[in-house]
Amino acid sequence: MIVYFIGTGGSEGIPAHLCTCRTCEEARRLGFAQRKPSTLAVITKNNEAILIDVGTDIRDLLHVPLKAILLTHWHHDHIYGLYKLRWIAQETELYAPEGHADALILNDPKNLKPKTIKAGDVLKIDSLKITALKLNHEIETLGFLIEEDGKRFALLYDTKGIPPETMAILREKSPDVAVVDATYAPGVNDPYHNNVDEGAEVGSEIAEEVYLSHISHKNMPFLQLLAYVKKRYGSKVRVAYDGLIVNI
Ligand SMILES: [Zn+2]
Ligand SMILES: [Zn+2]
Ligand SMILES: [Zn+2]
């Protein structure tokens, strides 16, 4: 499977409008340091696509039929793009947890077909087996373990740490690749999101290869973050960026 990072930012994206912090100023200079809110696609071995979260408009980036759309949770930075995408000219299933569902999308989903899922549920979509996992966030939030032909990919945002029952599953399955919440700079203690070290440490415990994502403008500027992560964690932990492709 191929994992396509369409958006790797937090709610505000980088640069945040009119923000003059070092992270946002750097992103105005360096296009690769810009981040759209969290949006990720998985392309199967049959070249089918599923989308996980829709933090941005995807039309110029992934203009193909979608086997399904999955939501980790209903915070707005993960659903902004749904307001437009619900006009998709083909009926498309939308799997999402129940918690705090968006009334506009549910009452007027246009061509989306919303279905509720919860932690422990298993979906079979094309060649993928997708297990929903419980995460620690402000509202009900699901991570996903995605398997295809013995390869395993874990998507773990938004979250602070990982609940023990999810850790048990991930330790047993030991994913090839994990994408982990690393919203904040080292040393920041937030109740709902990891900082860089929390994300890197939990990711390294369970996966061969770790990508830090859901990066806020309150995090370090991109080049500084790259240097910090490389020095501390070597090549096992990397910083995701918009447009990154990982072949698992
Ligand atoms: Zn978020
Ligand atoms: Zn900023
Ligand atoms: Zn959230």
Side-chain angles (χ1 to χ4, degrees), residues 206-234:
I206 50 154
E208 290 295 312
E209 198 174 319
V210 180
Y211 290 87
L212 304 177
S213 192
H214 200 276
I215 311 274
S216 164
H217 76 131
K218 293 177 185 161
N219 212 317
M220 295 168 167
F222 188 56
L223 294 181
Q224 190 186 338
L225 181 59
L226 282 184
Y228 177 88
V229 169
K230 186 170 187 189
K231 185 167 179 212
R232 218 167 150 109
Y233 301 100

Side-chain angles (χ1 to χ4, degrees), residues 109-139:
K110 309 296 180 200
N111 262 335
L112 300 177
K113 301 287 158 210
K115 293 191 160 68
T116 300
I117 53 170
K118 57 185 188 316
D121 286 355
V122 176
L123 303 172
K124 295 263 171 64
I125 301 175
D126 193 53
S127 49
L128 306 177
K129 177 185 172 194
I130 303 175
T131 306
L133 306 168
K134 183 174 189 269
L135 295 181
N136 283 332
H137 194 43
E138 189 177 16
I139 60 172

Side-chain angles (χ1 to χ4, degrees), residues 73 75 77-78 137-139 141 158 193 214:
H73 65 305
H75 272 159
D77 53 317
H78 299 252
H137 194 43
E138 189 177 16
I139 60 172
T141 299
D158 296 0
H193 291 285
H214 200 276

Side-chain angles (χ1 to χ4, degrees), residues 12-25 28 216-218:
E12 69 292 331
I14 301 177
H17 197 53
L18 301 183
C19 182
T20 57
C21 79
R22 290 192 307 132
T23 301
C24 289
E25 293 288 27
R28 288 188 191 93
S216 164
H217 76 131
K218 293 177 185 161

Side-chain angles (χ1 to χ4, degrees), residues 40-42 48-52 66-68 70 125 128 130 146:
L40 184 141
V42 175
E48 300 285 359
I50 66 161
L51 190 64
I52 307 179
L66 300 169
K67 287 304 245 188
L70 280 68
I125 301 175
L128 306 177
I130 303 175
I146 302 181

Side-chain angles (χ1 to χ4, degrees), residues 117-180:
I117 53 170
K118 57 185 188 316
D121 286 355
V122 176
L123 303 172
K124 295 263 171 64
I125 301 175
D126 193 53
S127 49
L128 306 177
K129 177 185 172 194
I130 303 175
T131 306
L133 306 168
K134 183 174 189 269
L135 295 181
N136 283 332
H137 194 43
E138 189 177 16
I139 60 172
E140 183 186 0
T141 299
L142 301 175
F144 296 107
L145 175 69
I146 302 181
E147 301 173 74
E148 182 188 64
D149 294 345
K151 296 290 185 183
R152 298 183 174 125
F153 164 58
L155 179 63
L156 304 168
Y157 58 58
D158 296 0
T159 192
K160 168 75 162 190
I162 304 285
E165 57 267 53
T166 298
M167 267 320 255
I169 294 168
L170 293 170
R171 280 204 188 98
E172 191 203 319
K173 294 281 191 174
S174 110
D176 300 278
V177 171
V179 173
V180 186

